Amino acid sequence: MKSGVQEHLAFFAAILIIAWLLLCFFSSSSMASDISENVRERIRQRMEYTGGNAVTAAAETIYSSVALPRFYEQRGYSPAWLQSGAPSSNCQALVRAIGTAGDHGLNPSEYHLDKIVDLLNEVAANQKAKKALNPGRLADLEFLLSDSFLIYGAHLLGGKVNPETIEPDWTAGKREADLPALLAEALKTNDVEKALKSLAPQDVAYRSMQDLLKQLRAAAPQPSVRLVQTAPSFKLGYRGPQTAALRARLAAAGFLGQDSEQDKEVFNESLEAALKKFQASWGLEADGVCGPATLHAVNRSEKDNIAAIRANLERWRWMPQNLGDRHILVNIADFHLAVVENGEELLAMKAIVGKLYRKTPVFSGRLTYLVISPYWDVPPSIARKDKLPLMQKDPNYFTANHFLVYQGWGADSREIDPASVDWKALGPNNFPYRLRQKPGPGNALGRIKFMFPNKHNVYIHDTPSHDLFAKSQRNFSSGCIRIQDPIGLAEYLLKDAPGWNREAIEDAVDNKIEKTVSLSRPIPVHIMYFTAFGDTRGAVHFRNDIYGRDARLLEALDSLARN
């Protein structure tokens, strides 16, 4: 009997415990639901009643003024970063992701990082003290977290700086993504870090620069090495204190090991060999002579290199989303053209780019045809500014250089005799003629031109001035890209075209009759400007900033204004 009573008492006690637990559970769920609903109302109210003013959260401006409202409207203003009425694990994942912004040359503090951490700590302290969570502060946290993801994501995707605000001729295609949709999916799958990482360029060149940036920042501070001063005939055989400074800087940069020379002021063979290696790594003429361009490169500090990498990581974020499985890449600052197929550089050659006052623009296009033995239709500005003065100095200039002169344009134009014109009476604002140069050895376009129609009227072509390719800095053109091996490029482009092997191309050139050949497979062309860039082997190379663009970009990159 006693045992039966005990069993009944135990049964009722268990029922009471279960009921209490269920009551606690539903009470807790109800509280969490109440908190989430209160936060939802705060979000909705702020979105609907801004009065045209910028939305703020915890005294910080919310910058994603279009994407963030759309994100919350699509979810009925319900909180995105709360779970059971409290911050979810996605919050810490976002904090970790923002903490890596420095690896992209960006500043983590510009993405609300400090304020987000403060709010998360505040919420954790209230939870520990069993204080009620403030819906207004949770709404602040919501806005800051979502804005951080959307703005940081936008900067990884397309750059922090709008290129056209500092480089009007930078018109390469932009990378795009639906960031609110990406954020919603990342929160659903708990993949916030992975989602942000996917927005950055995935190219080996970009990752190589990231790796070097991390190495330079993590390296222990090195003892300062004095700058190398200029010297006359600063080459093999020179003796002076400048040599000791050069030796020290090349050793610090890893280009010079121990040598047997006791007198550090003597410019010996081992120093010359080290200097040539250094010059080659910078794309300079590897002549072993420490001239002005080499001095500038040698005296670069790690701080300068970090700045250059940051600037060029940003430029990579300006690149088109898909370069193409096969494409042509021209780096203006490197005076270099490469044909890339499936990530492998199949063809490379030297290039000549625009002068300082006729800079080659940055843009992307599609090469659709090439012209063998082309005529050169002289752009009006070049005819007025360059060719007219030459004709005024030498009355035979046009005839000697195989220029045809036309009066008028279009169907009504007619060829005239250059000798019939009083050239000295004309000027840059009074030049009613069109110039056309015949095909041949002296033609400014050389043997072949490669066309990718664009608003800049820029294209790739040969040149009769092949001696210029021997120079290390090759900005001599009027904006177009002249290349060292046009026959090789044509052979690659026509490799699948019946009847167009190298011999056929050379025969067509020798005929000196203009011939247009369309490509069965157009190829993307990307004309870019990189003063630091990685290669497929993971190495990073630096080049002189020939157009003086880095400083302006870095100033914009370090501005607190978001884009």
Side-chain angles (χ1 to χ4, degrees):
M1 183 74 179
K2 186 175 180 182
S3 118
V5 170
Q6 289 175 334
E7 286 178 1
H8 279 83
L9 288 173
F11 174 75
F12 284 118
I15 292 294
L16 288 172
I17 290 171
I18 291 171
W20 181 78
L21 289 173
L22 288 172
L23 179 64
C24 289
F25 172 78
F26 285 114
S27 175
S28 174
S29 297
S30 177
M31 288 176 60
S33 178
D34 288 344
I35 290 172
S36 294
E37 181 60 26
N38 285 334
V39 174
R40 189 187 77 82
E41 280 302 302
R42 299 297 179 96
I43 293 172
R44 183 186 62 78
Q45 289 170 8
R46 289 198 206 178
M47 287 294 176
E48 292 182 357
Y49 304 113
T50 60
N53 298 318
V55 177
T56 61
E60 297 214 356
T61 301
I62 299 302
Y63 291 96
S64 51
S65 57
V66 175
L68 186 135
R70 182 156 65 91
F71 170 69
Y72 279 106
E73 285 169 7
Q74 290 174 345
R75 55 187 301 111
Y77 303 104
S78 63
W81 300 88
L82 299 184
Q83 185 175 15
S84 301
S88 69
S89 60
N90 283 321
C91 301
Q92 291 299 335
L94 181 62
V95 168
R96 289 193 299 271
I98 300 170
T100 66
D103 296 344
H104 298 273
L106 299 169
N107 186 348
S109 67
E110 294 190 13
Y111 306 104
H112 310 302
L113 182 60
D114 294 338
K115 185 63 70 174
I116 288 171
V117 170
D118 287 345
L119 284 173
L120 287 173
N121 288 338
E122 178 185 318
V123 170
N126 286 341
Q127 286 178 310
K128 186 175 181 180
K130 297 184 178 179
K131 291 183 180 179
L133 300 181
N134 185 325
R137 299 294 274 173
L138 289 174
D140 284 340
L141 182 59
E142 275 282 333
F143 281 159
L144 293 178
L145 288 164
S146 296
D147 191 54
S148 174
F149 182 100
L150 294 169
I151 292 299
Y152 181 42
H155 291 178
L156 289 177
L157 181 67
K160 177 188 171 186
V161 179
N162 179 352
E164 294 179 22
T165 62
I166 59 170
E167 298 294 346
D169 66 350
W170 191 295
T171 55
K174 296 179 181 178
R175 305 167 68 238
E176 296 178 345
D178 186 340
L179 292 176
L182 182 71
L183 172 56
E185 183 63 22
L187 291 169
K188 181 180 177 181
T189 59
N190 296 318
D191 278 333
V192 168
E193 290 174 277
K194 182 179 178 181
L196 285 169
K197 190 177 292 185
S198 72
L199 292 171
Q202 303 300 307
D203 309 81
V204 174
Y206 187 86
R207 293 198 297 271
S208 297
M209 287 194 288
Q210 277 192 292
D211 291 342
L212 181 58
L213 179 62
K214 286 187 277 190
Q215 291 172 24
L216 291 175
R217 284 177 163 169
Q222 297 294 318
S224 59
V225 181
R226 73 179 187 272
L227 299 181
V228 183
Q229 303 300 317
T230 187
S233 300
F234 199 1
K235 58 184 179 180
L236 183 65
Y238 178 82
R239 189 182 188 285
Q242 296 94 331
T243 307
L246 175 62
R247 189 182 297 278
R249 291 194 78 86
L250 289 178
F255 288 90
L256 180 66
Q258 295 293 325
D259 62 39
S260 59
E261 182 60 62
Q262 298 300 312
D263 189 342
K264 302 301 181 186
E265 295 192 351
V266 172
F267 199 128
N268 64 1
E269 287 83 358
S270 61
L271 181 59
E272 181 187 50
L275 184 59
K276 286 181 177 179
K277 288 181 183 178
F278 175 84
Q279 290 171 320
S281 75
W282 265 81
L284 300 169
E285 185 178 356
D287 58 3
V289 178
C290 196
T294 300
L295 270 177
H296 172 77
V298 164
N299 283 327
R300 285 259 294 215
S301 65
E302 287 192 355
K303 181 179 178 182
D304 294 331
N305 289 338
I306 287 173
I309 292 173
R310 291 185 61 229
N312 288 281
L313 285 171
E314 178 74 352
R315 288 189 179 114
W316 263 108
R317 294 189 286 268
W318 294 347
M319 291 281 280
Q321 199 145 13
N322 182 7
L323 299 181
D325 292 338
R326 55 192 287 272
H327 60 269
I328 295 172
L329 184 63
V330 177
N331 185 356
I332 298 168
D334 189 31
F335 314 107
H336 181 268
L337 177 146
V339 176
V340 180
E341 193 169 316
N342 297 319
E344 182 182 354
E345 189 177 277
L346 298 185
L347 187 65
M349 64 191 71
K350 293 179 179 180
I352 293 171
V353 300
K355 304 170 186 175
L356 290 178
Y357 59 92
R358 286 181 181 161
K359 298 181 179 71
T360 297
V362 173
F363 67 100
S364 295
R366 290 174 74 248
L367 200 160
T368 56
Y369 68 97
L370 55 89
V371 181
I372 299 173
S373 294
Y375 279 89
W376 180 37
D377 291 297
V378 184
S381 61
I382 294 178
R384 293 192 306 266
K385 296 177 183 178
D386 296 354
K387 299 305 176 186
L388 176 58
L390 294 173
M391 185 63 179
Q392 289 171 333
K393 288 181 182 179
D394 179 6
N396 294 316
Y397 176 79
F398 284 167
T399 301
N401 289 279
H402 309 290
F403 282 97
L404 303 174
V405 180
Y406 293 86
Q407 188 163 33
W409 282 260
D412 297 331
S413 67
R414 61 186 180 87
E415 185 180 348
I416 63 172
D417 182 356
S420 68
V421 179
D422 182 3
W423 297 104
K424 291 187 181 298
L426 302 178
N429 299 319
N430 176 29
F431 190 83
Y433 301 106
R434 178 167 62 92
L435 303 182
R436 198 175 203 218
Q437 191 178 31
K438 296 178 182 179
N443 185 285
L445 303 183
R447 295 161 289 177
I448 307 177
K449 68 176 180 179
F450 304 84
M451 303 302 293
F452 41 106
N454 58 84
K455 69 176 185 179
H456 307 285
N457 197 28
V458 163
Y459 43 90
I460 297 168
H461 64 86
D462 185 20
T463 174
S465 304
H466 276 253
D467 57 310
L468 295 178
F469 290 109
K471 298 182 179 296
S472 58
Q473 183 160 318
R474 298 183 293 276
N475 51 324
F476 305 117
S477 84
S478 295
C480 287
I481 297 100
R482 309 175 195 169
I483 56 172
Q484 187 180 28
D485 184 14
I487 301 294
L489 181 57
E491 184 181 17
Y492 169 82
L493 295 172
L494 299 177
K495 64 182 179 180
D496 298 324
W500 281 110
N501 55 23
R502 189 179 187 91
E503 183 179 359
I505 295 169
E506 290 174 341
D507 286 344
V509 166
D510 291 339
N511 286 337
K512 299 183 179 61
I513 298 174
E514 186 176 71
K515 184 175 182 60
T516 299
V517 185
S518 297
L519 301 186
S520 58
R521 293 176 61 203
I523 182 170
V525 178
H526 307 288
I527 302 177
M528 299 293 142
Y529 185 88
F530 291 110
T531 57
F533 54 93
D535 62 23
T536 55
R537 300 182 303 276
V540 175
H541 307 270
F542 295 94
R543 294 294 182 264
N544 286 328
D545 182 13
I546 58 169
Y547 289 166
R549 290 174 166 170
D550 282 2
R552 185 166 42 182
L553 172 53
L554 286 163
E555 182 181 0
L557 195 58
D558 289 334
S559 168
L560 287 177
R562 276 76 165 183
N563 294 294

